[in-house]
Amino acid sequence: MQSVAESLERLGDLATSPTVARLAAAFADAGYELALVGGPVRDALLGRPVNDLDFTTNARPDDILKVVTPIADAHWDIGREFGTIGARIAGETVEITTYRADSYDGETRKPDVVFGDTLEGDLVRRDFTVNALALRVPETILVDPSSGVDDLISGTLRTPSTPAISFGDDPLRMLRAARFTSQLGFTVDDETREAMARLAERIEIVSAERIRDELSKLLLSAAPRAGIELLVETGLAQEVLPEIPALRLEIDEHHHHKDVYQHSLTVLDQAIGYERERHPGDEPDLVLRLAALLHDIGKPATRRLEPGGAVSFYHHDLVGAKLARKRLKALRFDNDTIDAVDRLIELHLRFFGYTDGAWTDSAVRRYVRDAGDQLERLHMLTRADVTTRNRRKADRLGFAYDDLEERIRHLQEKEELDAVRPDLDGEQVMGLLGLKPGREVGEALRFLLELRLDEGPLGEEEAARRLLAWWSAR
């Protein structure tokens, strides 16, 4: 956390920024309280970028609309039943919510919405003390009823009320604890951790979509490993992503293999490193991070203890791809993400055959063809999958992949490998063979594609000659 002077300066800058100052003046003129709340106050105190502007007020939704309408470029009331009005003011999107004093029935995480009368009452119902902070504007008064600033200084995640009550009201907060562990680098206090373990099964009342969103935010954080470890240690991962704790395979005294769970976390760390190295400043890559975390989840189902103390995991790539597809579908990920992660896991072992002997140009073309638009991610995942402590082995694999990437670049320059297609299209095939659209046209195109992969570009004349010969020999 930055110094006290720096924190006060940041809070002052936030309170006097154009959007905040304009809103504060409008609410004050109308006789209502207004305060920035939660994330923007926390991030200002930590010296982190402030992205979202969330406000709370004693004004009711209808009154909020009356205040913001004259000063907003646009406004919307999609969250009106929960007391939230959204608006665009001075080019920034803001959300303004009436003080809340909700109650929960214990059966769902949806509260009975009850509007409150005080800022302090609103803050104590929030998830963690570091988010139960508010900055009254225009007065620039920091409100901290739960000692959230002390927890910011110590890097502690703690609930304003008892964690049993907080997590019982909204079990999704347990996943948020893991996310904030990764996003902020904080540590969950013992009482909160114990409650997460005791109440882990309560997460079942949360929708798959909300769980997906929290897991995604965790994976997109700067250091997701810490949050994932917390989920596994408290038993929450068993409820939402059971394939990860299943990676903690038992190792007996006669059969030895690396710790698959720790290996997977290291692969995730290393994939993030490659991602930042190759695309500095870009947004985090969720597909790559999911693939890195899940790439070995087929190992528990394929583990075999072999004579002599060896352990095998034959076809864990194919089994893992199917398991990942099933889990991501259950979590309601979109089809593009599911397909990409499936493909990366299925192909993540392909490269290791490259070190057994020189690949032909045909094999390199097929590697590129099979990877498709996931080729660059496959490069990063495959490099990240090398976690051996044997420096000579790691160097050998690294040099081999350098060589493969160089060969791919060379072939791409030579023959536009990114778009490997047959030398003839479907119309030309039908014209040459006198066919109508159907199965036989597809077979002919597959024949031409295999030629293209094996031998490179043939040209239309040679491709036509070879096609006619193939057709007459059928």
Side-chain angles (χ1 to χ4, degrees):
M1 186 169 167
Q2 56 196 348
S3 70
V4 173
E6 289 172 325
S7 295
L8 291 175
E9 183 179 355
R10 288 262 298 177
L11 289 177
D13 290 343
L14 183 60
T16 56
S17 65
T19 300
V20 177
R22 193 170 182 184
L23 265 177
F27 275 81
D29 289 345
Y32 297 112
E33 299 174 3
L34 186 70
L36 272 161
V37 67
V41 182
R42 178 199 68 215
D43 291 339
L45 289 169
L46 289 173
R48 291 163 54 92
V50 174
N51 297 312
D52 301 318
L53 293 178
D54 296 324
F55 296 85
T56 188
T57 177
N58 61 341
R60 297 306 196 244
D62 288 345
D63 299 318
I64 295 173
L65 274 172
K66 290 176 183 176
V67 174
V68 303
T69 298
I71 63 172
D73 304 320
H75 61 81
W76 49 94
D77 60 358
I78 192 169
R80 188 171 185 159
E81 65 177 304
F82 300 104
T84 300
I85 301 297
R88 188 158 188 83
I89 297 171
E92 291 190 86
T93 299
V94 303
E95 287 192 349
I96 308 156
T97 303
T98 303
Y99 295 156
R100 298 265 293 272
D102 302 338
S103 61
Y104 292 80
D105 62 11
E107 299 299 321
T108 73
R109 60 175 297 271
K110 295 180 179 180
D112 295 323
V113 177
V114 178
F115 295 141
D117 297 314
T118 68
L119 175 58
E120 289 77 6
D122 178 272
L123 293 176
V124 296
R125 49 164 289 278
R126 293 180 179 264
D127 54 4
F128 300 102
T129 60
V130 296
N131 295 327
L133 299 166
L135 182 66
R136 288 189 185 274
V137 288
E139 305 96 319
T140 316
I141 297 172
L142 181 65
V143 182
D144 179 17
S146 303
S147 301
V149 172
D150 290 341
D151 290 336
L152 281 179
I153 293 171
S154 65
T156 301
L157 280 176
R158 188 172 56 84
T159 57
S161 58
T162 66
I165 292 175
S166 182
F167 297 154
D169 284 347
D170 185 358
L172 188 65
R173 290 171 175 171
M174 295 187 287
L175 293 188
R176 287 202 197 108
R179 193 235 299 180
F180 287 129
T181 296
S182 290
Q183 280 185 338
L184 304 176
F186 285 9
T187 301
V188 174
D189 81 324
D190 291 341
E191 185 182 4
T192 303
R193 179 186 290 264
E194 186 277 331
M196 290 172 67
R198 182 160 41 85
L199 300 172
E201 292 182 359
R202 286 277 297 158
I203 201 70
E204 68 182 13
I205 71 172
V206 180
S207 71
E209 290 83 359
R210 297 304 297 270
I211 291 172
R212 173 202 64 206
D213 290 346
E214 281 300 323
L215 290 175
S216 297
K217 290 174 183 176
L218 190 163
L219 281 172
L220 292 172
S221 67
R225 182 177 190 141
I228 294 165
E229 289 177 331
L230 179 62
L231 291 180
V232 171
E233 291 163 6
T234 57
L236 272 162
Q238 184 61 41
E239 304 298 325
V240 299
L241 202 59
E243 293 79 6
I244 302 307
L247 293 173
R248 296 182 297 181
L249 302 177
E250 293 183 8
I251 301 175
D252 64 37
E253 60 180 320
H254 302 296
H255 295 81
H256 301 284
H257 59 79
K258 62 188 173 187
D259 185 327
V260 183
Y261 169 62
Q262 289 298 327
H263 163 76
S264 297
L265 295 179
T266 300
V267 172
L268 174 60
D269 288 340
Q270 295 187 165
I272 292 171
Y274 285 119
E275 173 193 318
R276 291 172 179 160
E277 178 183 304
R278 294 192 177 212
H279 299 284
D282 283 7
E283 291 296 315
D285 187 340
L286 180 61
V287 167
L288 176 64
R289 296 178 183 206
L290 281 168
L293 179 63
L294 303 177
H295 78 285
D296 271 350
I297 61 172
K299 281 191 171 180
T302 58
R303 180 173 179 251
R304 297 291 181 271
L305 305 181
E306 307 289 355
V311 180
S312 66
F313 302 97
Y314 294 124
H315 305 303
H316 78 266
D317 46 347
L318 302 179
V319 173
K322 292 179 180 178
L323 289 173
R325 174 173 287 276
K326 182 178 180 181
R327 176 56 53 195
L328 296 180
K329 285 183 70 175
L331 289 170
R332 306 290 194 271
F333 278 90
D334 63 276
N335 290 333
D336 288 344
T337 297
I338 294 171
D339 290 343
V341 173
D342 178 315
R343 176 60 56 88
L344 288 167
I345 295 175
E346 182 181 337
L347 295 178
H348 82 274
L349 290 182
R350 179 79 65 86
F351 158 74
F352 293 98
Y354 189 84
T355 59
D356 297 335
W359 278 8
T360 63
D361 284 352
S362 172
V364 175
R365 292 188 192 100
R366 291 173 192 277
Y367 185 77
V368 175
R369 187 272 310 269
D370 291 346
D373 60 1
Q374 299 306 313
L375 181 62
E376 186 179 19
R377 286 183 174 129
L378 185 58
H379 288 332
M380 291 187 279
L381 175 60
T382 301
R383 287 184 180 275
D385 198 21
V386 178
T387 62
T388 177
R389 296 178 183 176
N390 184 323
R391 178 45 52 192
R392 292 181 65 182
K393 181 179 180 181
D395 288 344
R396 178 171 60 84
L397 291 169
F399 294 146
Y401 210 87
D402 289 342
D403 182 67
L404 175 59
E405 287 200 74
E406 182 58 36
R407 287 183 65 188
I408 290 171
R409 279 192 292 270
H410 176 72
L411 285 171
Q412 284 172 331
E413 292 171 0
K414 182 179 177 182
E415 55 189 61
E416 297 181 359
L417 190 57
D418 278 333
V420 176
R421 298 185 181 88
D423 292 274
L424 303 174
D425 62 25
E427 293 291 336
Q428 291 170 304
V429 167
M430 289 188 285
L432 282 167
L433 303 183
L435 297 174
K436 293 182 178 180
R439 178 178 55 82
E440 291 176 320
V441 176
E443 291 177 359
L445 288 170
R446 281 191 290 275
F447 165 74
L448 289 171
L449 179 58
E450 291 298 316
L451 280 180
R452 173 75 168 78
L453 290 167
D454 287 336
E455 302 181 32
L458 300 173
E460 291 187 7
E461 184 176 341
E462 176 62 12
R465 187 186 70 77
R466 301 277 282 274
L467 176 65
L468 290 170
W470 170 80
W471 182 252
S472 64
R474 291 180 79 229

